[in-house]
Amino acid sequence: MHNVVMTELADLVPAASATAPTLVEGIQTSLRSAILKGSLPPGFRLREIPLAAHFGVSTTPIREAIRHLEHEGLVKIYPRRGAEVVAISSAEIDHLYEVRTVLECHAIRKAAESAPDEAALEPARKVVRAQERSSRQTRRRPALVDADFHREMMMLAGNPLIAELVERATRQIESVQARSDRAVVDGLAHAIEAHGAILAAVEQGDPDRAEDLMRKHLAWAQDAVLQSVRAVKDASSAE
């Protein structure tokens, strides 16, 4: 049984990054990546001993990494049952987008009002260009490129606490998108157009337009994610 679990983990979880600042952060990054890619599905139990053997460490850094993932909203720790990858319901998706809409609309307004210079805008431009390349080539992992754009825009607002709260909500949504990117892939052209328009409004120092575009874009994204969740549920019911 132990060997079976180890084989599963070797297939599902990448090795800890050697470039991470600490051992715990390397393990946390590895587990987060597996969750966001959908390799570790909702309900998957994160057993400390097999994970420790997989990473070649004691259970202490495993336990700490799992606690950090719980703080991010990707894992839930249950008394006497251990940790599991969270399953997010449609209602919870609505709640996450409600939080994102309040925070991101406020942040994008602040970004437009701050009149960022060319150097500050360049990271967001790079993400938009990467998303355009993604649409022309493999269209691989568009949801993650979409999230990168929102992260860069939150940085322009200059409030690290808002960026942190949005990041937590975004990662939980990414874990849902990983199970079915179809709705987001099908709407990739819409996302690219929306991102370009939002960035232009910030460049032009138009906070009203930037906020309106962000609100509409998040409403579209929420609908797309809910469609993908329903599609997965319908497919599972049909089996």
Side-chain angles (χ1 to χ4, degrees):
M1 179 65 180
H2 180 72
N3 289 335
V4 172
V5 172
M6 286 298 299
T7 301
E8 288 180 356
L9 289 174
D11 292 337
L12 301 177
V13 181
S17 172
T19 60
T22 68
L23 176 60
V24 170
E25 288 179 46
I27 294 169
Q28 181 184 348
T29 299
S30 174
L31 291 173
R32 182 196 299 121
S33 175
I35 293 170
L36 295 184
K37 289 179 180 178
S39 300
L40 300 182
F44 188 94
R45 292 187 64 186
L46 299 173
R47 296 179 174 88
E48 293 179 8
I49 293 176
L51 284 170
H54 171 68
F55 287 111
V57 298
S58 71
T59 57
T60 300
I62 300 296
R63 191 175 303 117
E64 189 173 347
I66 289 173
R67 285 199 193 102
H68 289 312
L69 291 171
E70 183 180 41
H71 177 71
E72 293 181 13
L74 298 177
V75 166
K76 178 67 175 176
I77 300 174
Y78 298 95
R80 297 181 299 279
R81 198 167 94 197
E84 292 182 4
V85 176
V86 297
I88 299 176
S89 67
S90 295
E92 288 169 318
I93 291 170
D94 286 336
H95 296 159
L96 289 168
Y97 270 102
E98 183 177 2
V99 170
R100 282 189 64 179
T101 299
V102 171
L103 293 175
E104 292 198 48
C105 285
H106 172 74
I108 206 68
R109 172 173 284 277
K110 284 191 64 178
E113 290 171 344
S114 71
D117 60 21
E118 292 296 314
L121 290 166
E122 184 55 24
R125 290 195 183 115
K126 285 182 179 179
V127 172
V128 171
R129 290 196 292 268
Q131 195 173 41
E132 290 171 345
R133 288 194 299 273
S134 177
S135 69
R136 292 193 300 269
Q137 299 169 0
T138 63
R139 301 201 307 179
R140 185 171 177 265
R141 307 303 300 153
L144 301 189
V145 180
D146 178 87
D148 286 341
F149 173 80
H150 288 267
R151 291 183 183 111
E152 293 299 340
M153 300 313 290
M154 293 305 96
M155 294 297 292
L156 288 174
N159 186 325
L161 182 55
I162 287 179
E164 180 183 344
L165 293 171
V166 169
E167 177 70 14
R168 175 171 177 168
T170 300
R171 281 180 174 164
Q172 291 180 69
I173 291 167
E174 284 178 345
S175 72
V176 175
Q177 290 174 318
R179 297 158 212 165
S180 174
D181 270 344
R182 181 173 181 177
V184 180
V185 170
D186 292 344
L188 186 55
H190 170 96
I192 293 171
E193 182 180 356
H195 290 171
I198 292 168
L199 183 57
V202 172
E203 289 181 272
Q204 293 159 11
D206 189 340
D208 290 337
R209 179 163 172 75
E211 180 179 351
D212 181 61
L213 288 169
M214 180 63 82
R215 191 179 305 279
K216 289 176 179 176
H217 174 52
L218 289 172
W220 168 83
Q222 178 178 359
D223 184 63
V225 172
L226 288 171
Q227 282 185 44
S228 71
V229 169
R230 285 193 289 270
V232 170
K233 286 182 178 178
D234 291 345
S236 299
S237 300
E239 291 177 357

